[in-house]
Structures are given as C-alpha cells and as structure tokens.
Amino acid sequence: MAHASNTRHHTATAIGPDRTTSTVGQVSATLPVEPVSTSRTTEPADTKPVNTEPTNTKPTGTDANTGANTEPTHTSDHTHPQNPEQPTPSRAHSNTGNLTHGPLIPAMLRFSIPYLITCFLQSCYELADLLIVGRFNGADSVSAVSTGSQMTHLVTVTIVGLTTGITVTISHAIGARRMGKVQRQIGQSIRLFAFVAIIATIALTASADPLLHLLSTPPEAFSQAHDYVTICFFGTPFIVAYNVISAIFRGFGDSRHPMYFVALAGLLNVGLDLAFIGGAHMQAAGAALATVISQAFSVVVALIYLKFANTGVRVRKADLACDWAGTRQILTIGTPIALQELCIQVSFIVITAIANERGLEISAAVGIVEKIISFLFLVPSAMLSTVSVVAGQNAGARQHSRSKMALRYGITMCIAYGALACVASQIWGADIVRVFSPDDEAVVRYGAQYLSSYSFDCILAGVHFCFSGFFSAYGKSLYTFAHNIASVLLVRIPGAYAASLLWPDNLFPMGCAAPLGSLLSILICSALYYLRFSKRHPAAIQTE
C-alpha cells in the first residue's frame, strides 16, 4: 500500500499554544473572488513574531504595509477590518494549525510526530503485503509484488514531490491570513491534479510491460508482476487524490488527520490481503486489489470528513476556474522536487544493480540494510516536512527570524537523533541484520559492514533534509533539486561503483558513498543559505 512518500532522501495538528481543533479560518460561502495578483520581489523584513491575544472586541488583521501579524478576534458578524464584505476568521478556527506564534519546539514536535507515525504505518503496510504474499504463495508471487511495489513507489514519491507545491503555497497564504488565496489554491490543485491523474493513469498502464522488462523481472514472476502493476496503475487517481488531500492538510498545519486516514486504510488493507490472498488465492493480483481498494477508502473517508467537518474553507465553483498564476506557483515549487525524487529512486535501483552483480550474499545484505535505513530515515523525512510547513507559514507572515529558528531546531533534532541511530548501528549492527537473515553468517557479516558506514548518513542526511524543507518553503525548490542531483551523480553512484571494484570483498567502503554524498549536499546547502538567506545576504522572496 503506497500513500505518501517515506523515501530516504526527500521529500500536519493544531499547533497553537491553547487550541485543539483542526480547522482553519472560517470563510463565508459568499466571499467574493479576489483578483489574481502577480508576484513581486521584495526584501524580507527580519521581523519578530507579534503575539497578541484575541479579545472580544474589534478584530485585527495583517498590516499590508508592515507585514505585522496580529490575531483575529472574535466577533459575531466576522467582518474584515479592512473590507467589511470579507469575513474575518472566527476565533474557533483561526489559530488551529497556526505555526506563526507560540513556543516553536513543542509546535514542531506536535506536527512531526503524527507525520512520522503516518510514514511508519505506510512502511509497515507495504511490508505486510510482502509477508502475507510470502505466507500463502511461493517465490514467484513474492518477486512479483517486490518488483511491482518498486514501480508503484516510484510513482508515489514523484506525485508526493509534485504536491509539495500545494503545501507550500497554502502555508504561505495561511501565514499571511489570505483565506481567499487558500481557497483559490485548493481549487487550482483540484484542477491541476485531476489532469495529472488522467495522464498518469493512461501513460503508466500503457507502459507496464516495457517497465517490467526494464527492471529485468524474472520470467517466472512476469505474469503476476504484470497483473500487480496494471491493477495498481489503474488506481493511480486514488494515489493522486489522497496525496493532494494530505498536502492540503499539511499546508493548514494539520498532520493528524492524514495519519488517521492512513491508519484506517492500512487496517482495511491487511484484512483485504488476508481475504484476497489467503482466502481467494488471488496471489499478487490480490495484493494489488487490496491496495487500490484501501487507497480509494482513504480518499472517501477524507472527502466525507471535509464535507461534514467545520473546516472553515468552502471551495466554490469560481475557485476551480483557471488561474494560471496559482497553478504556476504549485508547479514551480513541486516540479523540481518531483524530478529530484524520481532521479533519487532511480539511483537506488542502480546501486541495487551494482550490488546484485557482486553475488547473492552481498545482494541480500545490501537489500536488508536498505530496508533498515529506510526506517531510520523516517525521522529526518518527518522533520523535512515539518520545517517546510513551519517556515512556509512564517514566510507568509513575514516572520523570517522564526523560519530560520525552525531550521536550526530541525537540524539540531536531526543530528541528535542521527547520532543515537549511528551509535546503535555500530554496536548492534550485526544483531540487527541477523534478525532478517538468522541462518546466513556471510549475509550478516556483509550487512554489518555496510550498515556500519551507511549509518553515518543518519547524522548528515538530516541536516540537508532540513535545508531542503526550508528552501522549498521559500519557493527555492531548485536549490533542493540541485544539491540532491549533484550528490547522486557526483558521489553516490560513482562512489558505490568505484568501491565495488576496489574492495570487492568488503561493503564498508561502498556504504561510505551515502554519507559522503550527504556531506556534499550539506556544503552546497550551507553556501546557498549564506548567499541567499543570511543577514548579510538576505534572500528576495516572492509574495502574492
């Protein structure tokens, strides 16, 4: 089951200090359509957040000239302070998911923990597919699901990267208190990704067999792999819809509800796996059908929630009209990240192919360690999303000091976590690998070597993950694309290949390619941050 990316190299609760609901500002259904404005380049004012508590008197808003951010107040008629016809968010909804005020570290933890749980649940559900298929079928079915899931994961992480543009543009509008802009961006997201879903479904289903041949799918598993990917590709609209909805929630600062939807869908997925694979003997096709039905279920549950919950946002027909400026903003931010994710996943396939040429034990050891690392990297991935949303909202509110503080806190937390993971891998590396291969000491030995060096990436990767989230929040996703592609093409792939030739009987050197690639990314990110975001060289950001 694949909903959202939990990739090792990518790519949202109420955060207010005393609020617990999960909705944003109330917007009247009669809100007039705001004119589409063009982007302008301004020097960001390094202002500190202004925290004023709401009162039961006249509402306040965001000063259009100074960018000062004040809390909306509770009034019975919800009139906007500058435009009587435009409603002001009600007190019940205005501060939910608002990351522009209050203690920052607790806010970041309240956002990141549900996101982390969501990623963990997704990883468990994907593993459950393989375990259940292996329990009731032979190696051909396991190979079919394993190969097919690689392809569907490529599709999923690419879509997730593209939907990053939704999260960032909505978080900017939330931070700036522009609820009309939020509605328009949601409308443009629906319009854009409906088109993406149609094109992707047609293209993927038509290219299923060529892609399976490209991956050198074993002949014994080809028929089942074809059934698996074809069914999953027909479910692409559900993958797209789920990730669009999740991106919107994260833009609001809400990571809890996507977690709930995934948890419910995952339980259904496991039950359907047992019914289709164990009961109906549908083999790999049963796993695919269970995945698609579960994805559809998660979308339906999310839509029902949006319909009946008092979210405070009502998308009107006018919001679905073509707004090229809003669509361009989504694509400008999301496209580089989508391409980056696609290239990174392809690089993992290349490294796996390099390992496969070195023998069965080394191939198995590399595969096991990659699975271990994918779990260890869930925390940096969650922090990437957290920094992106927190910095995005504060960028919209012109509170750039708070955005930079979120980056520093994110890096600090990732380094602390990565150090613990690295030390544990050095001490118990062989024992961890032995859990997956208890009877083959050669696999355990090679796996311990590979994990011993690769685990240093747990410390380094978290740093450039946080930089990536920060750059994306400021619309600089090309920076993220640049440093990741440089790392993959200049260090990771050539480093792994060179190590396989120079040290054919030791995986420690091959594992060094990953942390060295991250080190290059950190150097590039640090230089870009200094040149574009330091006090000496403040970045010019785009505001709507």
Side-chain angles (χ1 to χ4, degrees), residues 135-188:
R135 172 66 178 81
F136 292 100
N137 297 279
D140 55 344
S141 297
V142 173
S143 177
V145 172
S146 178
T147 303
S149 62
Q150 275 188 308
M151 295 173 59
T152 56
H153 186 67
L154 277 173
V155 174
T156 302
V157 298
T158 304
I159 292 171
V160 169
L162 199 57
T163 58
T164 303
I166 301 174
T167 299
V168 172
T169 55
I170 288 178
S171 67
H172 282 176
I174 291 289
R177 309 294 178 89
R178 298 186 60 190
M179 300 310 298
K181 178 68 173 178
V182 172
Q183 292 186 162
R184 288 202 305 277
Q185 288 302 99
I186 293 175
Q188 296 313 298

Side-chain angles (χ1 to χ4, degrees), residues 98-141:
N98 191 329
L99 304 170
T100 60
H101 67 279
L104 193 53
I105 292 180
M108 292 176 70
L109 291 176
R110 284 195 293 269
F111 181 98
S112 61
I113 290 174
Y115 186 87
L116 174 63
I117 294 173
T118 300
C119 294
F120 177 77
L121 290 175
Q122 289 165 191
S123 298
C124 290
Y125 300 149
E126 292 170 2
L127 184 60
D129 284 346
L130 280 175
L131 291 176
I132 294 172
V133 166
R135 172 66 178 81
F136 292 100
N137 297 279
D140 55 344
S141 297

Side-chain angles (χ1 to χ4, degrees), residues 232-378:
C232 287
F233 286 163
F234 272 115
T236 299
F238 300 120
I239 298 176
V240 174
Y242 171 81
N243 284 291
V244 168
I245 293 170
S246 296
I248 292 170
F249 274 112
R250 288 194 293 272
F252 289 159
D254 181 357
S255 61
R256 284 185 300 130
H257 284 90
M259 177 184 68
Y260 299 151
F261 303 147
V262 167
L264 291 173
L267 292 174
L268 177 62
N269 184 69
V270 173
L272 292 177
D273 274 342
L274 292 171
F276 293 156
I277 299 170
H281 307 291
M282 295 177 64
Q283 299 180 312
L289 189 60
T291 295
V292 171
I293 293 175
S294 300
Q295 290 166 347
F297 174 76
S298 68
V299 172
V300 171
V301 170
L303 291 175
I304 291 174
Y305 170 79
L306 289 172
K307 179 175 177 61
F308 292 102
N310 186 14
T311 61
V313 173
R314 298 182 178 91
V315 179
R316 307 148 304 175
K317 186 176 180 180
D319 296 318
L320 298 171
C322 182
D323 175 4
W324 173 240
T327 301
R328 186 178 62 234
Q329 291 165 6
I330 295 172
L331 291 175
T332 300
I333 296 170
T335 301
I337 296 177
L339 293 175
Q340 159 205 312
E341 292 291 350
L342 181 62
C343 292
I344 288 172
Q345 293 304 312
V346 170
S347 75
F348 288 141
I349 294 175
V350 173
I351 292 174
T352 300
I354 293 172
N356 289 343
E357 294 179 353
R358 298 178 63 180
L360 185 60
E361 289 84 4
I362 289 180
S363 174
V366 169
I368 289 171
V369 172
E370 292 288 350
K371 286 292 183 183
I372 295 170
I373 291 294
S374 69
F375 275 93
L376 294 178
F377 272 43
L378 292 179

Side-chain angles (χ1 to χ4, degrees), residues 27-33 77-88:
V27 179
S28 170
T30 60
L31 181 64
V33 179
D77 57 358
H78 306 295
T79 56
H80 193 277
Q82 298 174 0
N83 182 1
E85 296 182 359
Q86 181 172 332
T88 295

Side-chain angles (χ1 to χ4, degrees), residues 382-412:
M383 195 54 61
L384 183 156
S385 182
T386 301
V387 172
S388 177
V389 173
V390 174
Q393 287 198 12
N394 284 281
R398 306 297 183 86
Q399 298 180 172
H400 305 296
S401 290
R402 189 174 171 88
S403 295
K404 295 175 182 179
M405 190 182 302
L407 173 63
R408 291 194 296 270
Y409 287 160
I411 289 175
T412 302

